[in-house]
Amino acid sequence: MAADFQTPEFREYPAVPNKLVPDATAHLSPFVAKPDHNEKLGFPGELVDNWHDKAIEKMGDLLGKYRGLQVFLDACVKCGSCTDKCHYFQGTSDPKNMPVARQDLLRSVYRRHFTFAGKYFPKLVGARELDREVLDEWYSYFHQCSQCRRCSVFCPYGIDTAEISMAAREILDTVGYGQKYCNEILGKVQTVGNNLGLPGPALKATMAEFEEEMEDDTGLPIKLPIDVQGADVLLITPSADFFAEPHIDGLMGYAKVFHEAGINWTLSSYAAEAANFSMFIGSYSNMKTVAERIRTAALDLGVKRIMVGECGHAWRVAYSFWNTVAGVGSGAAEDDEYGQKLQKQLDHRYPIPQHICEFTHGLLQEGKLRLDPAANDHRTVTFHDSCNVARASRMGDKPGGQFDIPRALLKAACNNYVDMDPDTIREVTYCCGGGGGLLTDDLMEIRVKGALPRMEALKDVMQNQGVTNMAAICAICKAQFAKVMPYFDIPMDTILSTHQIVGDALVLTGSTQETALDGGDDSSEKTEEAAEATE
């Protein structure tokens, strides 16, 4: 592929340490948000005249609200445990992409204004004044962090670089120095209901096309319902599922599962979007606004359950924040009238919210789905643990369910499954390289270079174990891999949705696949075998 940068070469595997290249990516910065993008979110349209004072004021406000932020800024002893853990450092060799060095871009200003030593002996403690050069440095390097939190796993003090990146971006937004990609998308989801800005009629027309495709494929009238009053389940899924491969096939996989299980479900045109980019910019007020659209949709439609589709950070926001910011969870604040109303409406026999993988896995365990893994015999599959799912959430009722449940689905749906190097998966998984608000073409260089460690691990199992496809349960991961894989001479269709693989193996009652497979014979025995495969 044509590019104005050099794709990093695969290293000896396992990878060897980097040789430092100072300021290797200092030239990289995302497009700055236009005034309209900022103002819709409650931020100044452009960089304010008194940006220095306002930035320091905002930093003080964050330090007061979030005790953990001050702990993270104070606790680091420069032990070096995190230095080589960041995929962006591995891909760029820029020392400022070491997590500790990236933290220090903000920590040095914190020390200058909020510590005794920094105020009176700044040079002794590495304290710096916030000038325009430092502000620009923040804008560049804090948008070279995908907030994946891999470094935090290895930090002996548990310092969360993601929280520091989020704080830095919130300060930048507060002074009118926002990122175009995140802020423009947030404006769309708050006004239209999805990141694409896709209006309701267009969404319904798109779903009708997919329904025709599924009927042609299966012979069954499988529906993708929208705005169904009284449906039992409201599915909130990333809008990538509505327009791009391999996301669309994952959406069809959900629909097939719901159809076979006889679930009365719906999408919402008002709140069609699971993604919530507010987390990337550290804005809990905007996170609340987006989450409340989902609450409103659930109340208006009268649903009993809320499920989340395949999106990594969307599941993190749903799992960790929906309850506190919008009363969508196991409880709601007493003064939250709508949250209390929703709690009475939802069926508490089920997780609130529930991940689509949890739901499908439960059906398999109950013997309600029949899978034919031979349908995927042309594939040898591996699984990419998406960082926000792996390190910031759970699934099911056991620790580690976020790792085990997707793998159980894949192993039940295909005969050929292989894991990548254990040092690159599960809780120490590498990020795709495009998360945290970096999935924009103006940051393609950092995206490609940040993908290097995952591509190396994938290439290893492709060459040595015959892997043909990698599955994921994150919309950003899928979009990122489809775009960057060709840079590494890996076909873009290597990346698949997990529910695409499940959907391809699912034997629907009365479908042409069932007829071809066994002539419509009683499939109860094979259904039981599929249930046993998920144990």
Side-chain angles (χ1 to χ4, degrees), residues 270-310:
Y270 176 75
E273 183 63 66
N276 194 328
F277 281 27
S278 309
M279 189 183 72
F280 298 154
I281 65 173
S283 176
Y284 292 101
S285 60
N286 278 288
M287 183 187 291
K288 178 179 176 66
T289 299
V290 175
E292 284 179 344
R293 290 186 73 93
I294 295 167
R295 181 176 72 183
T296 298
L299 285 168
D300 288 348
L301 295 172
V303 299
K304 301 297 184 184
R305 302 167 66 180
I306 302 175
M307 291 186 196
V308 179
E310 294 186 7

Side-chain angles (χ1 to χ4, degrees), residues 178-212:
Q179 185 213 26
K180 178 180 184 292
Y181 176 65
C182 283
N183 291 4
E184 183 177 17
I185 280 178
L186 276 169
K188 290 178 181 177
V189 75
Q190 290 187 21
T191 56
V192 180
N194 59 77
N195 288 354
L196 303 175
L198 192 67
L203 179 61
K204 292 178 181 178
T206 301
M207 296 304 102
E209 292 179 8
F210 296 162
E211 289 175 351
E212 290 179 7

Side-chain angles (χ1 to χ4, degrees), residues 219-342:
L220 298 173
I222 301 169
K223 298 300 181 183
L224 287 161
I226 301 177
D227 298 333
V228 177
Q229 289 287 334
D232 291 326
V233 172
L234 170 63
L235 177 69
I236 306 294
T237 197
S239 54
D241 286 356
F242 307 144
F243 81 102
E245 298 287 354
H247 317 266
I248 293 169
D249 295 300
L251 176 65
M252 293 182 182
Y254 313 153
K256 291 176 182 178
V257 169
F258 285 131
H259 176 89
E260 183 65 11
I263 300 295
N264 181 12
W265 71 288
T266 188
L267 297 163
S268 165
S269 61
Y270 176 75
E273 183 63 66
N276 194 328
F277 281 27
S278 309
M279 189 183 72
F280 298 154
I281 65 173
S283 176
Y284 292 101
S285 60
N286 278 288
M287 183 187 291
K288 178 179 176 66
T289 299
V290 175
E292 284 179 344
R293 290 186 73 93
I294 295 167
R295 181 176 72 183
T296 298
L299 285 168
D300 288 348
L301 295 172
V303 299
K304 301 297 184 184
R305 302 167 66 180
I306 302 175
M307 291 186 196
V308 179
E310 294 186 7
C311 181
H313 86 272
W315 178 239
R316 177 184 178 184
V317 171
Y319 182 88
S320 301
F321 298 108
W322 271 6
N323 191 30
T324 53
V325 301
V328 183
S330 59
E334 291 184 3
D335 60 351
D336 183 355
E337 176 186 352
Y338 295 103
Q340 289 286 342
K341 184 178 179 182
L342 182 60

